[in-house]
């Protein structure tokens, strides 16, 4: 429905959503729609910056309530947890940024859907994986980031996608 219309209308839809956002800037639905529109038309920096509206919309109540701070994407020696959110398809999409995440963190662990563990351990044998339940139970990390926020850090421009066009999963 909505995303097909966005894809067909592209920049025209963006204008509509920007007008709606100007009327109700605090409305999460407006933020979410504008974010998705921006991502669909390739305005990644703007789209990712508004992507956090998902916590007030589609994923309301599912944001992890960790006591640790959120990781800002800067290089660190801290133990970082990347929290797998959303469905399998979204997690697979965000896996394209796992190697880059590992380059910025000395100790990183990825909490993913249990059905993905075997595939990920085979594809990224140098990285550590666990289930979200295991990560929540042991709290063995100093900072965390939700997987959907990796795009804001690693893919703010079209060129960033093009520069990392390598296979990352091994059957």
């Amino acid at each position: 429905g909505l995303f097909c219309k966005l894809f067909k209308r592209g920049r025209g839809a963006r204008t509509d959503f920007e007008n709606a956002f100007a009327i109700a800037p605090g409305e999460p639905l407006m933020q979410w729609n504008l974010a998705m529109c921006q991502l669909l038309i390739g305005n990644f920096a703007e789209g990712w910056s508004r992507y956090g509206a998902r916590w007030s919309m589609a994923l309301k109540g599912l944001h992890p309530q960790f006591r640790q701070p959120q990781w800002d994407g800067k290089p660190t020696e801290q133990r970082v947890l990347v929290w797998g959110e959303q469905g399998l398809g979204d997690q697979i999409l965000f896996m394209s940024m796992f190697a880059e995440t590992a380059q910025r963190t000395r100790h990183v662990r990825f909490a993913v859907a249990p059905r993905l563990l075997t595939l990920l351990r085979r594809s990224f044998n140098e990285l550590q994986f666990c289930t979200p339940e295991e990560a929540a139970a042991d709290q063995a990390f100093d900072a965390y980031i939700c997987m959907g926020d990796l795009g804001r850090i690693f893919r703010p421009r079209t060129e960033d996608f093009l520069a990392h066009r390598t296979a990352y999963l091994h059957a």
Side-chain angles (χ1 to χ4, degrees), residues 90-148:
D90 292 299
Q91 289 187 36
I92 290 169
L93 168 72
F94 294 123
M95 288 173 198
S96 68
M97 296 175 262
F98 282 10
E100 293 162 89
T101 303
Q103 290 173 355
R104 289 201 188 171
T105 58
R106 183 168 169 90
H107 308 282
V108 64
R109 186 166 63 152
F110 300 86
V112 298
R115 293 189 290 171
L116 295 173
L117 287 173
T118 302
L119 172 65
L120 287 171
R121 288 179 176 144
R122 180 174 53 246
S123 300
F124 299 96
N125 58 8
E126 70 284 358
L127 301 179
Q128 294 181 15
F129 298 96
C130 65
T131 67
E133 294 77 19
E134 291 167 336
D138 70 23
Q139 299 278 310
F141 53 94
D142 303 308
Y144 77 96
I145 187 168
C146 294
M147 205 175 283

Side-chain angles (χ1 to χ4, degrees), residues 31-157:
Q31 294 228 16
W32 175 250
N33 286 339
L34 187 53
M36 296 308 293
C37 183
Q38 297 285 18
L39 291 172
L40 281 170
I41 64 173
N43 187 351
F44 298 111
E46 185 73 22
W48 291 127
S49 72
R50 297 184 190 283
Y51 195 65
R54 69 193 183 279
W55 299 116
S56 299
M57 296 293 309
L59 301 178
K60 188 172 185 163
L62 297 177
H63 191 281
Q65 300 299 311
F66 297 130
R67 58 179 165 71
Q68 295 89 336
Q70 291 188 40
W71 179 54
D72 59 10
K74 294 178 182 166
T76 184
E77 295 289 316
Q78 292 184 314
R79 298 171 300 164
V80 174
L81 174 73
V82 177
W83 180 261
E85 48 160 307
Q86 304 182 48
L88 293 177
D90 292 299
Q91 289 187 36
I92 290 169
L93 168 72
F94 294 123
M95 288 173 198
S96 68
M97 296 175 262
F98 282 10
E100 293 162 89
T101 303
Q103 290 173 355
R104 289 201 188 171
T105 58
R106 183 168 169 90
H107 308 282
V108 64
R109 186 166 63 152
F110 300 86
V112 298
R115 293 189 290 171
L116 295 173
L117 287 173
T118 302
L119 172 65
L120 287 171
R121 288 179 176 144
R122 180 174 53 246
S123 300
F124 299 96
N125 58 8
E126 70 284 358
L127 301 179
Q128 294 181 15
F129 298 96
C130 65
T131 67
E133 294 77 19
E134 291 167 336
D138 70 23
Q139 299 278 310
F141 53 94
D142 303 308
Y144 77 96
I145 187 168
C146 294
M147 205 175 283
D149 293 327
L150 294 176
R152 177 178 42 81
I153 296 167
F154 297 109
R155 301 290 187 271
R157 302 169 308 144

